[in-house]
Amino acid sequence: MELKELMRAAGIIGAGGAGFPSYAKLAEGADTLVINGSECEPLLYTDYSILKYELPMVIRGISLIMSEAKIPRALLCIKEHTAEKLSMSEGDVLAKGITVKVLPNVYPIGDEVSLIYEATGRVVKPGTLPIGVGAIVYNVETVYNLAAAEKDGTPVTEKWLTVGGDISEPSVVRVPVGTRVAELFQRLGVKVPEGYSVLDGGPSMGKLINIELAVVTKTTKALLVLPDSSEAVRSKRINVKLAIARAETACCQCTRCTDMCPRALLGYPLEPHKMVRTAMSCAVVMPKMVISATLCCGCGVCESLACNQGISPKAVINNYKELLAKNKLRFSSSDEVKVAREREYRKVPSERWERTLGVLKFDTVPTYLGKIDGFSRIEIPLNTHIGAPSVPTVSDGDTVSAGSVIAEANDGLSVPQHASVGGRVTLADKKIIIDRVREDV
């Protein structure tokens, strides 16, 4: 089985981002494979743990991609603090063609466009793909999953994640895909006090979840318990309609949001201050006037750090993104871009960003607990990847074994889903529930 088909059959998707099916990235024509181990977000130690405990598997996954796509070199990109903890240095050779690239401790260095520039000095043209500058980017966990699939046919049935925030014993664990968050917290002794919330993902771009309903998906990189008073939570609880209305009236046009925007500093034609000034009614009539909103990476620097008026350029831009998506519009350009000279001096130090979000005091290296299993019920979503949702191949009452296919890839961009545990199936809206029979628990 060729590598691209192996990726698809194993259900491998981007392990820490939007869940882009990994097979669709694999293509010839690249001269550099960039492995994202930067853990851009604060408090995350998932990729760090994979590199610490499973580095040979990561190297194996990288080598497989290099061989298949005829890529001569690969850069394992990690931040300075990670390199120090792993005793790695810039230029360390891990295997033939694979070297370590040490990135500065800044945010959001893990953004794909920023990462490629920092690692290679190349700028991906706005609205185009990394292959246009000869690069392919994969996450550390993604290449680990590929190595596991190639080794013994293991599909993606487990997820590595950090459980952290304001808790007594932060940890990194491996759990079955579809594990209920409430049950995992119970097993770990994690409690969510009054006045606290839980994020799926990092404190910058993670999403608020209801732990009684949420499950661990293939893209869950962390579960963080944080106080509602922190900027990390506050920024996600804003009233979007009110934020947009305030933005149109309260913005003083100081341009700080644009001055600090990581994508704008790379030369992208993204100007958040002008987005804020644009009336929503005009954008509805002429959506192309805000088409550069699709270039935003959603890092939140404009909202939490740059703005001195307490408004949210990010909320405005997200609203424009939804409008553009409905109209099937996306920015694309073949024009060369020029990186701003001041970019080097406007990078946001990681520690400053943690202070801004109110999470610095929770940043401790977690304990690696390894695999945790024995959960009574698993709920596997069918639509956590970009593209068409998977199509169930099982029926109510069927009994499945761990690793078996329970949903096939849909037409177009899609991947199958596999049972992460054995048990009895129940079909529900956009998910498949697997209840373990007593002897399997």
Side-chain angles (χ1 to χ4, degrees):
M1 183 185 297
E2 67 172 15
L3 203 63
K4 191 175 236 184
E5 180 53 35
L6 176 63
M7 282 181 164
R8 193 177 198 218
I12 299 174
I13 64 174
F20 191 82
S22 300
Y23 74 88
K25 283 187 176 183
L26 194 59
E28 293 187 6
D31 61 23
T32 305
L33 177 61
V34 179
I35 304 302
N36 189 354
S38 67
E39 299 207 280
C40 183
E41 292 261 33
L43 310 186
L44 272 59
Y45 288 89
T46 306
D47 291 340
Y48 158 76
S49 298
I50 296 174
L51 291 172
K52 183 175 181 179
Y53 297 103
E54 295 286 356
L55 183 58
M57 287 287 281
V58 172
I59 293 174
R60 175 60 181 161
I62 296 172
S63 298
L64 287 168
I65 295 171
M66 292 173 68
S67 176
E68 178 74 12
K70 300 178 175 59
I71 303 174
R73 71 162 181 166
L75 302 174
L76 175 60
C77 299
I78 53 177
K79 283 184 179 179
E80 292 170 352
H81 72 83
T82 302
E84 183 179 351
K85 292 181 181 71
L86 294 173
S87 298
M88 291 182 176
S89 302
E90 172 78 17
D92 281 354
V93 178
L94 302 176
K96 184 180 179 180
I98 305 173
T99 57
V100 173
K101 178 65 181 178
V102 179
L103 309 172
N105 292 330
V106 298
Y107 177 81
I109 205 69
D111 163 46
E112 189 171 71
V113 176
S114 297
L115 177 69
I116 291 172
Y117 177 73
E118 203 68 40
T120 69
R122 306 169 189 174
V123 181
V124 178
K125 292 180 181 179
T128 66
L129 298 174
I131 192 67
V133 293
I136 295 177
V137 181
Y138 283 114
N139 175 260
V140 163
E141 188 176 357
T142 302
V143 295
Y144 167 85
N145 287 337
L146 171 59
E150 188 269 344
K151 181 180 180 182
D152 54 18
T154 303
V156 180
T157 58
E158 287 186 350
K159 190 70 184 74
W160 295 68
L161 69 149
T162 303
V163 180
D166 191 4
I167 61 177
S168 58
E169 297 181 11
S171 60
V172 172
V173 297
R174 291 160 49 209
V175 299
V177 172
T179 297
R180 293 182 297 170
V181 174
E183 194 171 359
L184 174 59
F185 277 15
Q186 185 179 28
R187 288 282 295 276
L188 295 175
V190 174
K191 299 184 183 301
V192 183
E194 188 72 27
Y196 279 69
S197 296
V198 178
L199 297 180
D200 181 324
S204 311
M205 293 183 271
K207 297 180 180 179
L208 291 168
I209 59 172
N210 180 339
I211 66 168
E212 299 302 325
L213 301 176
V215 300
V216 174
T217 71
K218 291 181 182 180
T219 60
T220 301
K221 210 67 177 176
L223 295 169
L224 303 178
V225 181
L226 297 173
D228 293 344
S229 58
S230 66
E231 172 63 15
V233 176
R234 185 212 64 80
S235 63
K236 296 166 185 59
R237 291 196 178 281
I238 62 173
N239 182 308
V240 176
K241 288 185 178 179
L242 180 61
I244 292 172
R246 287 193 67 248
E248 291 178 350
T249 56
C251 177
C252 67
Q253 287 294 292
C254 70
T255 76
R256 271 193 48 147
C257 54
T258 298
D259 295 340
M260 294 291 292
C261 174
R263 289 284 182 92
L265 289 169
L266 281 172
Y268 275 39
L270 176 61
E271 299 175 289
H273 75 285
K274 290 184 179 180
M275 292 284 176
V276 170
R277 185 171 61 188
T278 304
M280 183 59 64
S281 56
C282 293
V284 170
V285 176
M286 294 181 292
K288 283 188 176 182
M289 69 187 300
V290 293
I291 198 167
S292 62
T294 62
L295 301 177
C296 171
C297 69
C299 69
V301 167
C302 61
E303 174 183 73
S304 297
L305 181 63
C307 185
N308 59 16
Q309 297 287 69
I311 61 179
S312 177
K314 179 180 175 180
V316 175
I317 292 173
N318 283 344
N319 208 57
Y320 289 151
K321 284 182 179 180
E322 293 179 8
L323 177 65
L324 292 165
K326 290 178 182 177
N327 286 276
K328 298 182 179 180
L329 294 173
R330 186 173 180 82
F331 188 96
S332 182
S333 172
S334 59
D335 295 338
E336 298 292 336
V337 294
K338 184 178 180 180
V339 178
R341 288 185 299 174
E342 57 270 23
R343 176 182 180 271
E344 192 64 30
Y345 312 104
R346 291 183 183 171
K347 293 177 182 177
V348 181
S350 296
E351 184 173 321
R352 182 185 179 191
W353 184 242
E354 288 183 284
R355 289 186 187 279
T356 298
L357 296 179
V359 301
L360 178 61
K361 58 186 175 181
F362 310 132
D363 192 356
T364 58
V365 180
T367 302
Y368 176 60
L369 299 181
K371 184 174 181 177
I372 299 178
D373 207 342
F375 300 98
S376 61
R377 169 173 282 196
I378 296 295
E379 300 179 9
I380 300 179
L382 300 173
N383 58 352
T384 53
H385 57 270
I386 287 178
S390 311
V391 181
T393 57
V394 292
S395 303
D396 283 337
D398 284 355
T399 299
V400 296
S401 56
S404 61
V405 176
I406 56 175
E408 63 185 3
N410 210 325
D411 293 336
L413 190 65
S414 187
V415 294
Q417 304 296 333
H418 302 81
S420 54
V421 300
R424 190 168 291 111
V425 166
T426 302
L427 296 184
D429 183 36
K430 298 180 181 179
K431 63 183 177 182
I432 295 174
I433 299 171
I434 303 174
D435 286 299
R436 278 180 160 169
V437 293
R438 176 171 293 183
E439 56 266 27
D440 290 334
V441 176

